Amino acid sequence: MLLTYAQIENALLRRFAHVINDDEILDLHDLLLIPHLLDPADSFTEFEQAMGVVLPTSFRQFLRQYQVDDFSMDNVQFGQGEAYLHHVFALNHADALCPWWQGKMRPVNLLLMALTDGYALILDVNTGAVWALDQDNSGMDLVAHDFEDFFRALATVYLSEVGLDEVLNQLNVDSSGFWVQQGRLKA
């Protein structure tokens, strides 16, 4: 039921075809899922060493395949125009301007990987699970057991008509707070 990465690429191209011509495709890197031209493997090593983590396989594979430095889908923003892993580093570094965690130290297994209206999307590097931390920092809800499932569900919700029960059943999660807020999702 969830769209594949190839289907997501094609659906985004179709959705924004009215504003695309051959010269402008790179100008829409914030709206399209654009494959990397060069392998960013060195960036992973540098990031993992600096953060003291090992990125989960599905997240690493996604970042090896796609350039998300300025990418957003629906109301979920991954990058902000700079190199994505540098952006994630800044959001999760001990000297972050507005840390998303409580206390002095960021939980070593958790990384803020994307932002949305009302939620910070947190990746558990040990399990690969994606959590939604509400804006009040009052609780985290499991939104997917794996990054790939999360991203494919997000794109499916954004690019097709899907019922809430179908998405939650596919993801095998009980929480619906984050998913209810996503664009075209029907209750």
Side-chain angles (χ1 to χ4, degrees):
M1 174 196 92
L2 299 179
L3 297 175
T4 66
Y5 285 144
Q7 290 170 323
I8 295 165
E9 281 183 62
N10 291 330
L12 287 170
L13 280 170
R14 280 192 309 275
R15 175 164 282 202
F16 298 108
H18 65 285
V19 294
I20 296 174
N21 70 40
D22 291 339
D23 297 331
E24 294 178 338
I25 196 161
L26 292 178
D27 291 338
L28 296 174
H29 62 279
D30 57 331
L31 301 173
L32 301 176
L33 204 50
I34 299 174
H36 269 294
L37 298 176
L38 302 172
D39 187 353
D42 291 340
S43 298
F44 297 136
T45 303
E46 182 182 319
F47 176 81
E48 289 174 333
Q49 288 175 350
M51 292 302 298
V53 301
V54 175
L55 296 173
T57 302
S58 67
F59 188 60
R60 178 186 277 267
Q61 288 172 336
F62 176 79
L63 294 179
R64 282 187 88 147
Q65 187 168 355
Y66 297 108
Q67 185 275 106
V68 293
D69 296 343
D70 198 25
F71 181 74
S72 62
M73 183 182 304
D74 201 5
N75 68 347
V76 177
Q77 184 173 14
F78 288 87
Q80 291 187 330
E82 60 187 285
Y84 176 70
L85 288 177
H86 289 165
H87 174 65
V88 173
F89 179 83
L91 293 172
N92 291 282
H93 191 266
D95 295 330
L97 183 59
C98 297
W100 58 267
W101 61 90
Q102 296 181 7
K104 293 184 180 197
M105 299 289 293
R106 173 187 58 83
V108 294
N109 64 313
L110 301 177
L111 291 174
L112 173 57
M113 60 157 202
L115 296 167
T116 183
D117 295 339
Y119 292 94
L121 294 168
I122 309 295
L123 177 69
D124 185 324
V125 297
N126 292 341
T127 66
V130 177
W131 297 82
L133 174 64
D134 65 32
Q135 63 188 358
D136 301 327
N137 282 357
S138 62
M140 287 197 334
D141 292 325
L142 178 66
V143 295
H145 293 278
D146 181 74
F147 175 81
E148 181 177 348
D149 291 341
F150 163 75
F151 189 84
R152 290 176 57 205
L154 177 67
T156 301
V157 167
Y158 178 58
L159 297 166
S160 65
E161 295 288 331
V162 175
L164 177 59
D165 291 338
E166 292 175 76
V167 170
L168 295 178
N169 285 337
Q170 184 76 24
L171 295 175
N172 194 27
V173 295
D174 297 325
S175 171
S176 60
F178 166 79
W179 291 113
V180 167
Q181 284 196 349
Q182 297 314 298
R184 298 174 57 193
L185 193 59
K186 300 177 288 186

